[in-house]
Amino acid sequence: MINYALHTRLKGAIVLTDAFHADPALGRDRSLYKFIWVRSGTLRLEIDHVETTLEVGEVVPLTPLHRIAVREVAGDYLTLLFNSNFYCIYGNDHEVSCSGFLFNGSSHVIRFVLDDTEQQLLNDITDTLSKEFCVSDNLQEEMLRIQLKRFIIQSTRIARRRLNITQEKEYSFEIIRQFFILVDTHYREKKQVQDYADMLHKSPKTLSNIFSACKLP
């Protein structure tokens, strides 16, 4: 059974586990980004109150904005979790290029299927992560961060190929990501789309067009 975690002095965290469903504290943590990867069988989830079933080889990345509950485990899966104190994907987007794409915060989540070669590639990275969690020296944290970046980069490449993501569409995903972050931050005092359009320097019609253009298969 895999269940590794590193917590730094800055409350940064990276976690690799095959038992996310058995750890309520992880489910309640609103700071964690997540990759959920089904390696055999199926996994039934509820994401933002919508039930979905992931099949073998499927990966879904989720932001801290997503509400998630595991409803049924009928196989084997891995969850890779981290927070911004451990690795800030937006501050370091020049390294991983997933800003607004993999982690866009919308209810229409990204999901993609790995072929055999891609599964082996991600498996090699998670195996290296597993081994590095067992090392205790002053280089461990940076080594874990490097492997996390590798996982994000490879996932971004795979998803771009599967979903035919153009540069224009990726820019639109970034606008959507910013929109959902603003909503999550200001929903108590700002109720109108116009409020958020103004904050993004867009018109409500432009926002609507961006959301329509970013619908994925």
Side-chain angles (χ1 to χ4, degrees):
M1 177 177 176
I2 298 172
N3 196 354
Y4 303 103
L6 174 74
H7 298 274
T8 72
R9 290 178 299 173
L10 296 176
K11 295 184 179 179
I14 178 170
V15 177
L16 180 66
T17 178
D18 56 7
F20 173 77
H21 59 284
D23 192 334
L26 285 178
R28 291 193 300 267
D29 192 328
R30 291 286 310 281
S31 72
L32 294 172
Y33 293 87
K34 307 171 186 70
F35 282 99
I36 299 177
W37 169 23
V38 179
R39 302 204 296 180
S40 68
T42 61
L43 180 67
R44 187 160 57 90
L45 302 174
E46 185 177 296
I47 303 172
D48 294 337
H49 309 295
V50 176
E51 284 206 359
T52 186
T53 299
L54 301 182
E55 306 286 341
V56 60
E58 277 199 279
V59 177
V60 58
L62 300 168
T63 76
L65 299 178
H66 290 110
R67 306 296 190 276
I68 178 173
V70 178
R71 296 305 184 200
E72 182 182 39
V73 179
D76 170 57
Y77 74 102
L78 275 182
T79 308
L80 177 60
L81 312 97
F82 64 98
N83 66 15
S84 292
N85 282 328
F86 186 80
Y87 186 70
C88 179
I89 55 176
Y90 302 113
N92 295 288
D93 193 54
H94 60 287
E95 295 181 333
V96 293
S97 298
C98 71
S99 180
F101 169 39
L102 289 185
F103 300 106
N104 62 73
S106 75
S107 58
H108 193 115
V109 298
I110 296 286
R111 54 192 289 183
F112 52 93
V113 182
L114 307 174
D115 63 24
D116 291 344
T117 300
E118 292 160 348
Q119 290 206 66
Q120 186 58 55
L121 179 62
L122 294 191
N123 193 63
D124 289 344
I125 297 172
T126 55
D127 280 351
T128 303
L129 271 169
S130 298
K131 293 173 184 175
E132 197 59 40
F133 274 109
C134 299
V135 176
S136 182
D137 62 20
N138 64 338
L139 300 175
Q140 181 200 36
E141 184 179 334
E142 188 56 31
M143 284 296 291
L144 288 169
R145 193 173 285 113
I146 288 169
Q147 298 310 315
L148 172 62
K149 286 190 286 186
R150 287 182 64 209
F151 194 99
I152 294 172
I153 289 168
Q154 295 298 347
S155 296
T156 302
R157 286 175 170 172
I158 294 165
R160 279 175 173 168
R161 290 196 298 268
R162 290 290 182 279
L163 303 173
N164 192 27
I165 300 300
T166 63
Q167 187 173 1
E168 181 181 358
K169 183 171 281 191
E170 199 153 342
Y171 168 77
S172 297
F173 275 117
E174 171 62 11
I175 299 298
I176 292 172
R177 179 191 70 82
Q178 293 178 25
F179 174 85
F180 281 103
I181 288 176
L182 289 172
V183 170
D184 196 59
T185 304
H186 301 287
Y187 70 92
R188 288 186 177 87
E189 67 271 14
K190 297 185 183 297
K191 308 294 185 183
Q192 304 299 320
V193 172
Q194 182 69 60
D195 296 328
Y196 299 101
D198 291 342
M199 295 167 76
L200 291 167
H201 308 291
K202 307 287 183 187
S203 70
K205 183 177 180 180
T206 298
L207 280 183
S208 176
N209 289 340
I210 287 173
F211 271 80
S212 296
C214 282
K215 289 181 179 178
L216 294 170

